[in-house]
Amino acid sequence: MEQMAPGPFLSGAVHPQCNARYPHPSHPSESPKQNPARPPTVTTVPPAVSQVRPPPPDLPEEIRIELHPTGLRLGADLTLIRSRLLPRLMAALLQAHEDGLARRDSPCSRADLCARIAGMAELHRTQVWRAMAQLAGTALETLIAAHTPSGGPFWLHEPLLSRCRFYLDTGALAQGAALADWLGQRRTATPAPTAPLLPWTYTEALARADHLLDRGELYPARLALQQAAPHLPADDPLAAAALGWRRARIARRLGDWGALQDELRDLSSALNDNRLAAPERQQLQARIAILAAWHWYGSLGQPAAALARLEDVPPVALAFDPTLRCDHGNLRGIALRELALAQSDRDLAAASVAALGDALRSASLAGLPDALQICAANLAHGIGQLAHAGLLGDANSLEEALRWLLLSDAICSRWQLGRSSLLNTIFLLRLCGLGGFRFSAVRRLADAAGHPLQADSYAALAAQRWEACRGRQSQIPADQRCAFLLLWARHAAAECDSFTAADLIRQARLQARKLRDPQARLRYLEEARALSHQPQRA
């Protein structure tokens, strides 16, 4: 059955399948006011003359809520909402929120709430509905949100939660060990159990996959992860998520968007595993959000949606993980660059360069060579495109971009990174074409960066790079091969080598026909046609 779109529980909106404001799950057409079973009772302390519920008061800056075994005391006047189940449900939700659950991106199931309440064997949908309905007309009316009002899963509305202060009937804050004792869990002060030692075979295969990923050998890295999977330790959700996250990274870099969606679906389901500690769950959520943003940008071509997805990453998750901070800033800068070019917006262009610069800073200070070479290359490419579009207003921007790109090239050479990627060479050929740099000037800058270019022309450099990855060309995505061959052909034609240029255009057409994306295929074929019709000089 199709689920309803998530929304605040008891928000006052009419359920789409009934006429009542708070439908009983077994009588969808009947209002709770028409159901005499157990009408909600609200009294005040001291007792009021009338038992009619007063209208909801104006929400104060801070709302005080006390959890009692017989109900909730709410607000400055300590209005009592009588219910034995409601305070225990609220306590279970508060504890789940402490553990990283009961949030919009990782809601809490009804079964998990039941497991947190000691002595409760089963939690029926009707019980939940009746308890939650008693919040109607109070300041907490929109605190609890759910996909379905009685069945969940549930989460707490963050803006309202931040204004609430929950106390136990003992006077203690409703948190930590005191909250666990109040729920009857009787947690002891024993240290948390340590995870078992990872199997040697799993660890070795994972280390080999990481080494291959750094070198850009994506298919061998995927094979290494397949070899690690049979040795996955039992009852270790984090070890399983580590494999899934690496498979998703490989799928993203290969442009295999279907495989990326499958991995993201599996990783998202792993978030609801109660064995994950709160910091581990938060880090995994951040990784999923960044990879999902890549899908929005790379597969669907929507940089604005990618930026919105990146906003879901909490800053605290980035504060202690420089790798995540690099990935986040790198994609943010790329998406802002695309929006700046599309809208000719100088402010977006400046924000793009700032985001890419922040990612590069994180990689440099943390000592992450692979992340550093990627950030330097993307910074160079971004500066080059934005400067060529006249959005940076700096005459030296193209030369600055070239320096960053040559630094990325030097890092790759020193650390033997990116050996199965042509992106740096693509950026170099494109940037030098935009800036009209002579190859001799580029060679001098490369010498200053500590990585001399062993070629005497752009076409010779392209031929050298193509030959260097001959044994791994099948691992290079087809769109990279198309872009590289066409840029090589353009420089070969400019250097009066029309025969080489014609052969490269032919190869580019063959590679373009392998592209799955019809728009990209058409774009490369059109570029090849236009290049072949340019005047050639032998």
Side-chain angles (χ1 to χ4, degrees), residues 399-420:
E399 184 173 340
E400 178 191 1
L402 186 56
R403 289 181 184 277
W404 284 118
L405 186 56
L406 291 172
L407 173 62
S408 174
D409 228 27
I411 295 170
C412 287
S413 177
R414 292 169 191 158
W415 291 82
Q416 295 295 298
L417 302 171
R419 297 178 62 192
S420 297

Side-chain angles (χ1 to χ4, degrees), residues 151-427:
F154 305 93
W155 67 91
L156 295 174
H157 186 51
E158 296 286 350
L160 181 55
L161 178 64
S162 65
R163 297 170 48 214
C164 296
R165 295 295 178 268
F166 288 88
Y167 295 88
L168 303 175
D169 55 347
T170 61
L173 285 172
Q175 62 186 20
L179 183 59
D181 289 341
W182 196 87
L183 283 167
Q185 296 171 358
R186 305 297 182 190
R187 291 181 176 177
T188 60
T190 57
T194 57
L197 183 66
L198 288 174
W200 182 92
T201 312
Y202 170 87
T203 307
E204 185 278 330
L206 199 63
R208 183 157 35 91
D210 287 338
H211 174 67
L212 293 167
L213 267 173
D214 285 345
R215 292 164 62 92
E217 300 181 27
L218 304 180
Y219 288 107
R222 180 180 276 179
L223 179 60
L225 293 177
Q226 290 176 359
Q227 294 168 351
H231 306 283
L232 186 68
D235 300 324
D236 193 340
L238 193 60
L243 291 182
W245 175 64
R246 286 164 172 81
R247 286 193 297 263
R249 284 181 61 202
I250 292 172
R252 194 272 298 173
R253 291 173 64 175
L254 286 173
D256 190 350
W257 305 114
L260 176 59
Q261 281 186 299
D262 292 340
E263 295 296 343
L264 287 176
R265 194 177 300 112
D266 293 341
L267 288 170
S268 298
S269 64
L271 285 175
N272 294 324
D273 196 316
N274 294 331
R275 294 170 295 177
L276 279 178
E280 295 167 346
R281 178 179 288 107
Q282 191 175 59
Q283 187 183 53
L284 183 57
Q285 284 175 334
R287 294 184 191 278
I288 291 172
I290 293 172
L291 286 168
W294 270 112
H295 180 261
W296 278 104
Y297 171 73
S299 175
L300 304 177
Q302 299 187 26
L307 283 174
R309 194 68 177 90
L310 289 175
E311 294 300 322
D312 294 340
V313 181
V316 67
L318 304 175
F320 303 105
D321 192 330
T323 303
L324 273 181
R325 200 156 59 245
C326 291
D327 292 345
H328 184 273
N330 193 41
L331 178 54
R332 179 175 172 80
I334 292 173
L336 286 170
R337 180 195 71 201
E338 295 302 316
L339 290 176
L341 291 171
Q343 301 173 19
S344 298
D345 191 317
R346 288 178 175 270
D347 292 337
L348 288 177
S352 170
V353 174
L356 291 168
D358 183 64
L360 182 138
R361 181 179 186 276
S362 299
S364 179
L365 297 183
L368 303 172
D370 187 46
L372 178 58
Q373 67 90 7
I374 291 172
C375 292
N378 283 323
L379 176 62
H381 186 52
I383 291 175
Q385 285 193 304
L386 294 170
H388 181 68
L391 298 177
L392 293 183
D394 187 353
N396 298 321
S397 292
L398 288 175
E399 184 173 340
E400 178 191 1
L402 186 56
R403 289 181 184 277
W404 284 118
L405 186 56
L406 291 172
L407 173 62
S408 174
D409 228 27
I411 295 170
C412 287
S413 177
R414 292 169 191 158
W415 291 82
Q416 295 295 298
L417 302 171
R419 297 178 62 192
S420 297
S421 174
L422 291 169
L423 278 178
N424 270 20
T425 310
I426 291 171
F427 291 166

